[in-house]
């Protein structure tokens, strides 16, 4: 199954190449994040010829001498080059696929998305700044998830980590097997700096939000029994054939790690770097 790059989200809407570059970095992060799982990113044969400004197409970036853009040329090539969904389309033109963005009845990216995992990735575009997108297949409305920024990526991953997304990592038994993914999200959203200058109540809400994101994307699952026994959210997972436990410290914006007996193993930031705080308390398992 695959996610489709939405060719209708590039219509020359960017003012210049620099403004497109800022959005390109976000789209590349989205693509890298999706590729942490065994899901293909497919695009149209003609995607390379999509307009990014009124006078430039996507393929022009490969000739651009801007240092930052040159550093992303390998990533741009991956966006432009195969795999292409037209090579083996899953949708059939014996069916009709209608949407607001084209007069075609088939053979476009949103139609192909209907027959995959009903998800597209879009560049920044006024027509594609919400999710879902509706496509009518034979007059039946189909909702297509639209990943158009990092926040919508997080929503998609959160909703699908247990079913559509199959982990494709070197060792799913590590404490943070998807550390590279979650670190990149934390960095892109500048999470730690966002905690400065806000109230403690706002900090607590952000600690809980990002702690849950990092835990869930690394296959920790909320353990309702242990949570209820300790009056705090506690996650669990198997590491080296032992059940370990993880909780969010809402005072410090950190994780606390516990072994299979509930004994404290240390405090870690959300990048899973050990902090200097030394604690000896345990959690109640029984």
């Amino acid at each position: 199954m695959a996610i489709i790059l939405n060719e209708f989200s590039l219509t020359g809407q960017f003012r210049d190449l620099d403004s497109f570059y800022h959005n390109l970095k976000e789209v590349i992060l989205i693509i890298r994040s999706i590729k942490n799982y065994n899901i293909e990113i497919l695009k149209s044969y003609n995607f390379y010829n999509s307009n990014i400004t009124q006078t430039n197409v996507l393929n022009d970036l490969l000739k651009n001498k801007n240092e930052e853009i040159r550093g992303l040329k390998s990533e741009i090539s991956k966006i432009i080059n195969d795999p292409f969904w037209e090579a083996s389309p899953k949708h059939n033109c014996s069916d009709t696929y209608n949407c607001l963005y084209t007069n075609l009845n088939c053979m476009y990216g949103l139609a192909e998305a209907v027959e995959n995992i009903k998800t597209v990735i879009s560049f920044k575009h006024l027509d594609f700044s919400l999710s879902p997108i509706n496509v009518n297949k034979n007059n039946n409305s189909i909702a297509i998830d639209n990943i158009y920024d990092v926040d919508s990526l997080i929503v998609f991953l959160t909703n699908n980590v247990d079913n559509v997304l199959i982990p494709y990592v070197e060792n799913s038994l590590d404490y943070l097997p998807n550390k590279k993914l979650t670190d990149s999200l934390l960095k892109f959203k500048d999470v730690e700096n966002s905690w400065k200058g806000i109230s403690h109540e706002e900090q607590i809400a952000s600690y809980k939000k990002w702690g849950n994101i990092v835990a869930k994307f690394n296959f920790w699952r909320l353990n309702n029994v242990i949570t209820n026994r300790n009056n705090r959210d506690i996650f669990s997972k198997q590491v080296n054939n032992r059940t370990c436990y993880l909780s969010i410290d809402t005072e410090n914006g950190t994780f606390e790690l516990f072994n299979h007996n509930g004994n404290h193993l240390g405090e870690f930031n959300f990048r899973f770097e050990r902090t200097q705080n030394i604690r000896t308390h345990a959690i109640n398992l029984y």
Side-chain angles (χ1 to χ4, degrees):
M1 301 300 278
I3 290 175
I4 310 299
L5 275 176
N6 177 15
E7 70 271 24
F8 295 153
S9 67
L10 284 179
T11 59
Q13 72 270 28
F14 291 94
R15 182 180 66 256
D16 50 39
L17 290 179
D18 284 340
S19 60
F20 173 73
Y21 167 69
H22 291 296
N23 185 226
L24 175 65
K25 288 193 294 183
E26 189 164 21
V27 170
I28 287 173
L29 173 58
I30 290 167
I31 291 173
R32 285 175 177 169
S33 301
I34 293 294
K35 286 185 174 179
N36 277 272
Y37 304 88
N38 61 340
I39 291 182
E40 281 192 301
I41 309 292
L42 302 180
K43 76 287 294 183
S44 167
Y45 283 141
N46 291 321
F47 199 73
Y48 74 96
N49 207 32
S50 299
N51 280 93
I52 53 180
T53 71
Q54 291 299 308
T55 57
N56 296 102
V57 298
L58 192 56
N59 197 50
D60 291 337
L61 290 182
L62 297 179
K63 309 168 191 174
N64 193 280
K65 296 183 179 181
N66 177 291
E67 286 298 321
E68 291 182 303
I69 292 178
R70 286 174 61 188
L72 294 172
K73 280 190 177 180
S74 64
E75 299 292 342
I76 297 166
S77 294
K78 292 174 187 176
I79 291 175
I80 292 173
N81 296 325
D82 62 356
F84 303 109
W85 61 259
E86 291 101 328
S88 183
K90 291 188 177 297
H91 79 286
N92 194 308
C93 286
S94 62
D95 296 304
T96 60
Y97 299 84
N98 303 113
C99 68
L100 295 174
Y101 315 106
T102 181
N103 292 322
L104 296 173
N105 292 322
C106 65
M107 296 307 291
Y108 58 90
L110 286 169
E112 182 66 11
V114 170
E115 307 303 339
N116 278 273
I117 59 172
K118 298 178 174 58
T119 305
V120 295
I121 296 171
S122 296
F123 285 85
K124 184 178 181 180
H125 194 291
L126 286 176
D127 288 343
F128 299 103
S129 58
L130 294 173
S131 183
I133 300 166
N134 290 317
V135 177
N136 289 320
K137 176 185 177 182
N138 300 331
N139 295 319
N140 294 312
S141 183
I142 308 292
I144 304 296
D145 283 331
N146 179 32
I147 303 173
Y148 57 91
D149 61 10
V150 166
D151 289 329
S152 58
L153 168 69
I154 289 169
V155 170
F156 172 78
L157 293 176
T158 300
N159 291 341
N160 291 282
V161 71
D162 287 324
N163 44 38
V164 173
L165 300 180
I166 302 171
Y168 188 67
V169 292
E170 291 183 3
N171 185 359
S172 62
L173 301 181
D174 289 345
Y175 291 121
L176 257 64
N178 274 340
K179 182 181 185 319
K180 186 175 180 180
L181 163 63
T182 49
D183 281 1
S184 65
L185 296 176
L186 291 166
K187 180 179 179 180
F188 187 86
K189 297 297 289 186
D190 200 18
V191 170
E192 291 182 351
N193 281 329
S194 74
W195 295 334
K196 299 174 183 177
I198 62 175
S199 69
H200 188 52
E201 290 75 16
E202 291 172 314
Q203 287 176 338
I204 289 173
S206 183
Y207 295 160
K208 288 182 176 180
K209 171 187 173 180
W210 283 100
N212 271 273
I213 287 170
V214 174
K216 188 165 187 176
F217 289 4
N218 285 283
F219 315 116
W220 292 86
R221 298 295 173 259
L222 187 67
N223 189 313
N224 291 315
V225 173
I226 306 303
T227 290
N228 291 336
R229 285 179 181 154
N230 292 270
N231 196 31
R232 62 192 297 192
D233 287 349
I234 296 179
F235 305 84
S236 62
K237 71 176 288 189
Q238 290 286 312
V239 179
N240 297 324
N241 297 316
R242 296 273 195 172
T243 300
C244 292
Y245 301 92
L246 193 73
S247 70
I248 302 169
D249 182 340
T250 56
E251 288 299 310
N252 299 300
T254 55
F255 286 131
E256 292 184 78
L257 181 66
F258 302 86
N259 68 10
H260 63 286
N261 291 320
N263 295 322
H264 197 270
L265 296 178
E267 182 182 274
F268 301 81
N269 63 26
F270 290 163
R271 296 184 305 281
F272 227 68
E273 300 164 338
R274 187 182 291 273
T275 72
Q276 299 302 312
N277 293 337
I278 299 175
R279 305 186 183 195
T280 58
H281 66 279
I283 55 173
N284 179 20
L285 301 182
Y286 307 102

